[in-house]
Amino acid sequence: MRRSAVMGWWRQADQFDWFSVYLHDRGLQLQWRLATFAFTALLGALPLMMLGSPLGPDNTMTRSIAIVAAVCVFGAALLWLIRWPTRRQSLVYNVVCSASTAATCLVVSSPYAGLMGCTIFAAIGGFLAYFHVIAHVIGNFVLALVCATITASELIIDTGDAALTIASVLTVVAINFGVPFGIHTLVHTLRIDLRNSDRDPLTGLLNRRSVYNAVHEIAVAQQGSASVRLNITMIDLDEFKKLNDTRGHAVGDEALADVGAVLRENCSGDAVMGRLGGEEFVIADSEPAPEHAKTVERIRAGIAATPFQITASLGTCSVNVEPGTAMKHPEFVDRLLHVADAAMYRSKRAGGDRIQYAHLDQVSAE
């Protein structure tokens, strides 16, 4: 049980897309960009300031390394001033900041100053904890420990003060452990709570607002070095009003809950499933065409097999998304839902209990 809990913690999803959308929807991305730019610019100023200190770099090579580190960090800061980065750019930003911090800590002539400089890794780790997976947080933590070990060894050799060295190392370890891992736990819990608050209480599926965010996330997350397929399926129950009128709304609610169960039983684990309102449902996934066709057919048959004598009209929209595509939120999702909705109404006009397919032209980078 403990092992499975640890594995689940290790495999927790990257927060970048979810948190980026969350900040975008609340108009907070600009504030985050400016704050990150300011922090990074201050980080870049540190090695330059140490050039004027007797405790700073004391030879040509270490001074050159400090200057290169500062230039790299200032370059990383400019990214946040220009735009909100992609996931890959965010990871590169963190690598640059971590490497530059390590270089700055190791080139100063005072091992105590270098050891105390290792506390800066906590801020970088905190950023990683907000946006990225735990493996990246641990990687940053390990780099901080390596730098702390090297500078602590130099400190005890220079001063012979074991108490000061141990206290300094404990300070560095405590800050680098407590800040990033505390943030990671908090953000992961917040994500779960926010997702649960955005669920339809009757079916347990996502509600309309959460569907938009989740579909955008799955589209962005699936982007890589090759084109990916995104499928949106709209589902509308046939003659549902008749069921409510003849058997009552309580039975209608039971039918809606059963439809939600049919979706969960037949969709893949990474599919987005939502109830948009009334008797209208939506699914988003990235399955290849043959598997997607089998999934929607199982859903159609599963709904028809419920004990409420109802059927459903389904319409799907599939699109190939090229790497680097700029997908404006929520316009991109709106377009897909509109095409899938039109296909669903074709199914309904044809008599219901059937599936209509549509395919958008290939979406490429702007």
Side-chain angles (χ1 to χ4, degrees), residues 1-42:
M1 182 70 178
R2 290 181 179 177
R3 182 179 178 183
S4 62
V6 171
M7 291 303 294
W9 173 70
W10 179 261
R11 293 171 179 169
Q12 286 174 4
D14 190 306
Q15 312 277 18
F16 188 83
D17 296 317
W18 168 77
F19 204 42
S20 296
V21 171
Y22 179 85
L23 294 175
H24 176 276
D25 287 349
R26 287 153 182 80
L28 296 174
Q29 280 195 355
L30 179 60
Q31 292 93 316
W32 268 78
R33 284 173 48 210
L34 294 177
T36 306
F37 167 76
F39 159 75
T40 312
L42 291 173

Short mmCIF file of all heavy atoms in Angstrom, two decimals, residues 1-42:
data_model
loop_
_atom_site.label_atom_id
_atom_site.label_comp_id
_atom_site.label_asym_id
_atom_site.label_seq_id
_atom_site.Cartn_x
_atom_site.Cartn_y
_atom_site.Cartn_z
N MET A 1 0.85 -1.20 0.00
CA MET A 1 0.00 0.00 0.00
C MET A 1 0.88 1.25 0.00
O MET A 1 0.64 2.21 -0.72
CB MET A 1 -0.92 -0.03 1.22
CG MET A 1 -1.86 1.16 1.29
SD MET A 1 -3.11 1.06 -0.02
CE MET A 1 -4.07 2.51 0.34
N ARG A 2 1.93 1.20 0.88
CA ARG A 2 2.82 2.35 0.95
C ARG A 2 3.55 2.54 -0.37
O ARG A 2 3.76 3.66 -0.81
CB ARG A 2 3.83 2.15 2.09
CG ARG A 2 3.20 2.25 3.48
CD ARG A 2 4.25 2.06 4.55
NE ARG A 2 3.66 2.18 5.88
CZ ARG A 2 4.35 1.99 7.00
NH1 ARG A 2 5.64 1.70 6.95
NH2 ARG A 2 3.76 2.12 8.17
N ARG A 3 3.96 1.41 -0.97
CA ARG A 3 4.68 1.51 -2.24
C ARG A 3 3.80 2.12 -3.32
O ARG A 3 4.24 2.97 -4.10
CB ARG A 3 5.16 0.13 -2.67
CG ARG A 3 5.97 0.17 -3.97
CD ARG A 3 6.44 -1.22 -4.33
NE ARG A 3 7.18 -1.18 -5.59
CZ ARG A 3 7.66 -2.27 -6.18
NH1 ARG A 3 7.51 -3.45 -5.62
NH2 ARG A 3 8.30 -2.16 -7.33
N SER A 4 2.52 1.72 -3.37
CA SER A 4 1.62 2.28 -4.38
C SER A 4 1.38 3.76 -4.15
O SER A 4 1.24 4.54 -5.10
CB SER A 4 0.28 1.52 -4.36
OG SER A 4 -0.36 1.68 -3.11
N ALA A 5 1.34 4.17 -2.87
CA ALA A 5 1.15 5.59 -2.57
C ALA A 5 2.36 6.40 -3.03
O ALA A 5 2.22 7.49 -3.59
CB ALA A 5 0.94 5.78 -1.06
N VAL A 6 3.56 5.84 -2.81
CA VAL A 6 4.78 6.52 -3.25
C VAL A 6 4.82 6.61 -4.77
O VAL A 6 5.16 7.65 -5.34
CB VAL A 6 6.03 5.79 -2.72
CG1 VAL A 6 7.29 6.36 -3.35
CG2 VAL A 6 6.11 5.92 -1.20
N MET A 7 4.44 5.52 -5.45
CA MET A 7 4.44 5.52 -6.91
C MET A 7 3.42 6.52 -7.45
O MET A 7 3.66 7.21 -8.44
CB MET A 7 4.15 4.12 -7.44
CG MET A 7 5.27 3.12 -7.17
SD MET A 7 6.86 3.65 -7.85
CE MET A 7 6.50 3.61 -9.59
N GLY A 8 2.27 6.61 -6.79
CA GLY A 8 1.26 7.58 -7.21
C GLY A 8 1.76 9.00 -7.04
O GLY A 8 1.52 9.86 -7.88
N TRP A 9 2.47 9.24 -5.93
CA TRP A 9 3.04 10.57 -5.69
C TRP A 9 4.08 10.89 -6.77
O TRP A 9 4.14 11.99 -7.27
CB TRP A 9 3.67 10.56 -4.30
CG TRP A 9 4.46 11.78 -3.93
CD1 TRP A 9 3.96 13.02 -3.68
CD2 TRP A 9 5.87 11.86 -3.76
NE1 TRP A 9 4.99 13.88 -3.35
CE2 TRP A 9 6.18 13.20 -3.40
CE3 TRP A 9 6.92 10.95 -3.87
CZ2 TRP A 9 7.47 13.63 -3.15
CZ3 TRP A 9 8.20 11.38 -3.61
CH2 TRP A 9 8.47 12.70 -3.27
N TRP A 10 4.92 9.88 -7.10
CA TRP A 10 5.97 10.09 -8.10
C TRP A 10 5.39 10.36 -9.48
O TRP A 10 5.95 11.13 -10.26
CB TRP A 10 6.88 8.87 -8.12
CG TRP A 10 7.99 8.96 -9.13
CD1 TRP A 10 8.04 8.40 -10.38
CD2 TRP A 10 9.22 9.67 -8.98
NE1 TRP A 10 9.22 8.70 -11.00
CE2 TRP A 10 9.97 9.49 -10.17
CE3 TRP A 10 9.77 10.44 -7.95
CZ2 TRP A 10 11.22 10.05 -10.36
CZ3 TRP A 10 11.02 10.99 -8.14
CH2 TRP A 10 11.73 10.80 -9.33
N ARG A 11 4.24 9.74 -9.79
CA ARG A 11 3.66 9.85 -11.12
C ARG A 11 2.64 10.97 -11.25
O ARG A 11 1.93 11.05 -12.25
CB ARG A 11 2.99 8.52 -11.50
CG ARG A 11 4.00 7.38 -11.68
CD ARG A 11 3.28 6.06 -11.82
NE ARG A 11 4.20 4.96 -12.02
CZ ARG A 11 3.87 3.68 -11.96
NH1 ARG A 11 2.62 3.34 -11.69
NH2 ARG A 11 4.78 2.73 -12.14
N GLN A 12 2.54 11.82 -10.26
CA GLN A 12 1.59 12.93 -10.35
C GLN A 12 1.84 13.76 -11.60
O GLN A 12 2.98 13.97 -11.99
CB GLN A 12 1.72 13.82 -9.11
CG GLN A 12 1.12 13.19 -7.86
CD GLN A 12 1.39 14.03 -6.62
OE1 GLN A 12 1.95 15.11 -6.70
NE2 GLN A 12 1.01 13.52 -5.47
N ALA A 13 0.76 14.24 -12.20
CA ALA A 13 0.86 14.92 -13.48
C ALA A 13 1.56 16.27 -13.35
O ALA A 13 1.54 16.90 -12.30
CB ALA A 13 -0.54 15.12 -14.06
N ASP A 14 2.16 16.68 -14.45
CA ASP A 14 2.75 18.00 -14.57
C ASP A 14 1.66 19.05 -14.35
O ASP A 14 0.55 18.92 -14.86
CB ASP A 14 3.36 18.14 -15.97
CG ASP A 14 4.20 19.40 -16.12
OD1 ASP A 14 3.68 20.49 -15.84
OD2 ASP A 14 5.36 19.27 -16.55
N GLN A 15 1.96 20.09 -13.57
CA GLN A 15 0.97 21.12 -13.27
C GLN A 15 0.96 22.25 -14.29
O GLN A 15 0.12 23.15 -14.19
CB GLN A 15 1.28 21.74 -11.89
CG GLN A 15 1.55 20.75 -10.79
CD GLN A 15 0.28 20.22 -10.15
OE1 GLN A 15 -0.80 20.32 -10.71
NE2 GLN A 15 0.40 19.66 -8.98
N PHE A 16 1.89 22.26 -15.25
CA PHE A 16 2.12 23.47 -16.04
C PHE A 16 0.87 23.92 -16.81
O PHE A 16 0.48 25.09 -16.73
CB PHE A 16 3.28 23.27 -17.01
CG PHE A 16 3.69 24.52 -17.72
CD1 PHE A 16 4.53 25.43 -17.11
CD2 PHE A 16 3.20 24.84 -18.98
CE1 PHE A 16 4.89 26.62 -17.74
CE2 PHE A 16 3.54 26.02 -19.62
CZ PHE A 16 4.40 26.91 -18.99
N ASP A 17 0.28 23.02 -17.56
CA ASP A 17 -0.87 23.42 -18.38
C ASP A 17 -2.06 23.83 -17.52
O ASP A 17 -2.73 24.83 -17.79
CB ASP A 17 -1.26 22.29 -19.33
CG ASP A 17 -0.17 21.99 -20.33
OD1 ASP A 17 0.42 22.94 -20.87
OD2 ASP A 17 0.12 20.81 -20.57
N TRP A 18 -2.32 23.03 -16.48
CA TRP A 18 -3.45 23.35 -15.61
C TRP A 18 -3.26 24.71 -14.94
O TRP A 18 -4.16 25.55 -14.95
CB TRP A 18 -3.60 22.28 -14.53
CG TRP A 18 -4.55 22.70 -13.44
CD1 TRP A 18 -5.92 22.72 -13.49
CD2 TRP A 18 -4.20 23.21 -12.15
NE1 TRP A 18 -6.43 23.19 -12.31
CE2 TRP A 18 -5.41 23.49 -11.46
CE3 TRP A 18 -2.98 23.43 -11.50
CZ2 TRP A 18 -5.43 23.99 -10.17
CZ3 TRP A 18 -3.01 23.93 -10.20
CH2 TRP A 18 -4.22 24.21 -9.55
N PHE A 19 -2.07 24.95 -14.38
CA PHE A 19 -1.85 26.19 -13.66
C PHE A 19 -1.79 27.39 -14.62
O PHE A 19 -2.25 28.49 -14.29
CB PHE A 19 -0.54 26.10 -12.85
CG PHE A 19 -0.50 27.04 -11.68
CD1 PHE A 19 -1.61 27.23 -10.88
CD2 PHE A 19 0.66 27.72 -11.38
CE1 PHE A 19 -1.57 28.10 -9.80
CE2 PHE A 19 0.72 28.59 -10.29
CZ PHE A 19 -0.40 28.78 -9.50
N SER A 20 -1.26 27.17 -15.83
CA SER A 20 -1.23 28.25 -16.82
C SER A 20 -2.65 28.67 -17.19
O SER A 20 -2.96 29.88 -17.28
CB SER A 20 -0.47 27.80 -18.06
OG SER A 20 0.89 27.54 -17.77
N VAL A 21 -3.51 27.69 -17.44
CA VAL A 21 -4.91 28.00 -17.78
C VAL A 21 -5.62 28.66 -16.60
O VAL A 21 -6.39 29.62 -16.75
CB VAL A 21 -5.65 26.71 -18.20
CG1 VAL A 21 -7.15 26.96 -18.33
CG2 VAL A 21 -5.09 26.17 -19.51
N TYR A 22 -5.34 28.17 -15.40
CA TYR A 22 -5.96 28.73 -14.18
C TYR A 22 -5.61 30.21 -14.05
O TYR A 22 -6.48 31.06 -13.79
CB TYR A 22 -5.46 27.95 -12.96
CG TYR A 22 -6.00 28.43 -11.64
CD1 TYR A 22 -7.23 27.98 -11.17
CD2 TYR A 22 -5.27 29.31 -10.85
CE1 TYR A 22 -7.74 28.43 -9.95
CE2 TYR A 22 -5.76 29.76 -9.63
CZ TYR A 22 -6.99 29.31 -9.19
OH TYR A 22 -7.48 29.75 -7.98
N LEU A 23 -4.33 30.55 -14.23
CA LEU A 23 -3.90 31.95 -14.13
C LEU A 23 -4.46 32.79 -15.27
O LEU A 23 -4.85 33.95 -15.08
CB LEU A 23 -2.37 32.02 -14.12
CG LEU A 23 -1.68 31.41 -12.90
CD1 LEU A 23 -0.17 31.44 -13.09
CD2 LEU A 23 -2.06 32.14 -11.63
N HIS A 24 -4.51 32.20 -16.47
CA HIS A 24 -5.05 32.92 -17.64
C HIS A 24 -6.51 33.28 -17.42
O HIS A 24 -6.94 34.42 -17.68
CB HIS A 24 -4.90 32.06 -18.88
CG HIS A 24 -5.50 32.66 -20.12
ND1 HIS A 24 -6.84 32.54 -20.42
CD2 HIS A 24 -4.95 33.40 -21.13
CE1 HIS A 24 -7.09 33.17 -21.56
NE2 HIS A 24 -5.97 33.70 -22.00
N ASP A 25 -7.31 32.33 -16.94
CA ASP A 25 -8.74 32.56 -16.76
C ASP A 25 -9.02 33.64 -15.71
O ASP A 25 -10.06 34.30 -15.75
CB ASP A 25 -9.43 31.26 -16.34
CG ASP A 25 -9.53 30.28 -17.49
OD1 ASP A 25 -9.27 30.68 -18.64
OD2 ASP A 25 -9.86 29.10 -17.24
N ARG A 26 -8.10 33.83 -14.79
CA ARG A 26 -8.30 34.81 -13.73
C ARG A 26 -7.50 36.09 -13.96
O ARG A 26 -7.40 36.93 -13.06
CB ARG A 26 -7.94 34.19 -12.38
CG ARG A 26 -9.01 33.19 -11.92
CD ARG A 26 -8.47 32.11 -11.03
NE ARG A 26 -9.55 31.17 -10.69
CZ ARG A 26 -9.95 30.19 -11.50
NH1 ARG A 26 -9.39 30.04 -12.70
NH2 ARG A 26 -10.91 29.37 -11.13
N GLY A 27 -6.93 36.22 -15.16
CA GLY A 27 -6.21 37.43 -15.51
C GLY A 27 -4.96 37.68 -14.69
O GLY A 27 -4.58 38.84 -14.46
N LEU A 28 -4.31 36.60 -14.25
CA LEU A 28 -3.15 36.74 -13.36
C LEU A 28 -1.82 36.43 -14.04
O LEU A 28 -0.77 36.52 -13.39
CB LEU A 28 -3.32 35.80 -12.15
CG LEU A 28 -4.50 36.10 -11.22
CD1 LEU A 28 -4.62 35.02 -10.16
CD2 LEU A 28 -4.32 37.47 -10.58
N GLN A 29 -1.85 36.07 -15.32
CA GLN A 29 -0.60 35.70 -15.97
C GLN A 29 0.38 36.87 -16.04
O GLN A 29 1.59 36.69 -15.86
CB GLN A 29 -0.86 35.14 -17.37
CG GLN A 29 -1.29 33.69 -17.38
CD GLN A 29 -1.19 33.07 -18.76
OE1 GLN A 29 -0.90 33.72 -19.75
NE2 GLN A 29 -1.46 31.77 -18.83
N LEU A 30 -0.12 38.07 -16.32
CA LEU A 30 0.77 39.24 -16.42
C LEU A 30 1.49 39.48 -15.09
O LEU A 30 2.70 39.74 -15.06
CB LEU A 30 -0.01 40.48 -16.83
CG LEU A 30 0.82 41.78 -16.94
CD1 LEU A 30 1.93 41.62 -17.98
CD2 LEU A 30 -0.09 42.96 -17.29
N GLN A 31 0.75 39.40 -13.98
CA GLN A 31 1.37 39.61 -12.68
C GLN A 31 2.46 38.58 -12.41
O GLN A 31 3.53 38.90 -11.89
CB GLN A 31 0.31 39.56 -11.56
CG GLN A 31 -0.67 40.73 -11.58
CD GLN A 31 -1.92 40.42 -12.36
OE1 GLN A 31 -1.86 39.85 -13.46
NE2 GLN A 31 -3.07 40.80 -11.82
N TRP A 32 2.16 37.31 -12.77
CA TRP A 32 3.16 36.25 -12.57
C TRP A 32 4.38 36.50 -13.45
O TRP A 32 5.51 36.30 -13.02
CB TRP A 32 2.53 34.89 -12.89
CG TRP A 32 1.94 34.25 -11.68
CD1 TRP A 32 0.75 34.54 -11.10
CD2 TRP A 32 2.52 33.20 -10.90
NE1 TRP A 32 0.54 33.74 -10.01
CE2 TRP A 32 1.60 32.90 -9.87
CE3 TRP A 32 3.70 32.48 -10.99
CZ2 TRP A 32 1.86 31.92 -8.92
CZ3 TRP A 32 3.95 31.49 -10.04
CH2 TRP A 32 3.05 31.23 -9.02
N ARG A 33 4.16 36.92 -14.67
CA ARG A 33 5.28 37.17 -15.57
C ARG A 33 6.19 38.27 -15.02
O ARG A 33 7.41 38.14 -15.02
CB ARG A 33 4.77 37.54 -16.95
CG ARG A 33 4.25 36.38 -17.79
CD ARG A 33 3.62 36.87 -19.08
NE ARG A 33 4.48 37.84 -19.75
CZ ARG A 33 4.04 38.83 -20.52
NH1 ARG A 33 2.74 38.99 -20.70
NH2 ARG A 33 4.89 39.65 -21.11
N LEU A 34 5.57 39.36 -14.59
CA LEU A 34 6.36 40.48 -14.08
C LEU A 34 7.09 40.10 -12.80
O LEU A 34 8.26 40.47 -12.60
CB LEU A 34 5.45 41.69 -13.83
CG LEU A 34 4.82 42.31 -15.09
CD1 LEU A 34 3.88 43.45 -14.71
CD2 LEU A 34 5.90 42.80 -16.06
N ALA A 35 6.41 39.36 -11.92
CA ALA A 35 7.06 38.94 -10.67
C ALA A 35 8.22 38.00 -10.95
O ALA A 35 9.29 38.10 -10.33
CB ALA A 35 6.04 38.27 -9.75
N THR A 36 8.02 37.06 -11.89
CA THR A 36 9.10 36.12 -12.22
C THR A 36 10.26 36.83 -12.89
O THR A 36 11.43 36.53 -12.64
CB THR A 36 8.56 35.00 -13.14
OG1 THR A 36 7.42 34.39 -12.53
CG2 THR A 36 9.62 33.94 -13.39
N PHE A 37 9.94 37.79 -13.76
CA PHE A 37 10.99 38.58 -14.38
C PHE A 37 11.81 39.33 -13.33
O PHE A 37 13.04 39.34 -13.37
CB PHE A 37 10.40 39.59 -15.37
CG PHE A 37 11.36 40.65 -15.82
CD1 PHE A 37 12.35 40.36 -16.75
CD2 PHE A 37 11.30 41.93 -15.28
CE1 PHE A 37 13.26 41.33 -17.15
CE2 PHE A 37 12.19 42.91 -15.68
CZ PHE A 37 13.18 42.61 -16.62
N ALA A 38 11.13 39.96 -12.37
CA ALA A 38 11.82 40.73 -11.34
C ALA A 38 12.71 39.82 -10.49
O ALA A 38 13.88 40.16 -10.22
CB ALA A 38 10.81 41.45 -10.46
N PHE A 39 12.17 38.68 -10.08
CA PHE A 39 12.97 37.74 -9.28
C PHE A 39 14.20 37.27 -10.05
O PHE A 39 15.32 37.23 -9.53
CB PHE A 39 12.12 36.54 -8.88
CG PHE A 39 12.93 35.32 -8.53
CD1 PHE A 39 13.60 35.25 -7.32
CD2 PHE A 39 13.04 34.25 -9.42
CE1 PHE A 39 14.37 34.14 -6.99
CE2 PHE A 39 13.81 33.14 -9.10
CZ PHE A 39 14.47 33.08 -7.88
N THR A 40 14.00 36.91 -11.33
CA THR A 40 15.09 36.39 -12.13
C THR A 40 16.16 37.44 -12.39
O THR A 40 17.36 37.16 -12.37
CB THR A 40 14.56 35.84 -13.47
OG1 THR A 40 13.44 34.99 -13.23
CG2 THR A 40 15.63 35.03 -14.19
N ALA A 41 15.72 38.69 -12.62
CA ALA A 41 16.68 39.78 -12.83
C ALA A 41 17.52 40.00 -11.57
O ALA A 41 18.75 40.22 -11.65
CB ALA A 41 15.95 41.06 -13.21
N LEU A 42 16.89 39.93 -10.40
CA LEU A 42 17.64 40.06 -9.14
C LEU A 42 18.62 38.89 -8.98
O LEU A 42 19.75 39.09 -8.50
CB LEU A 42 16.68 40.11 -7.96
CG LEU A 42 15.81 41.37 -7.85
CD1 LEU A 42 14.79 41.23 -6.73
CD2 LEU A 42 16.68 42.59 -7.61
#
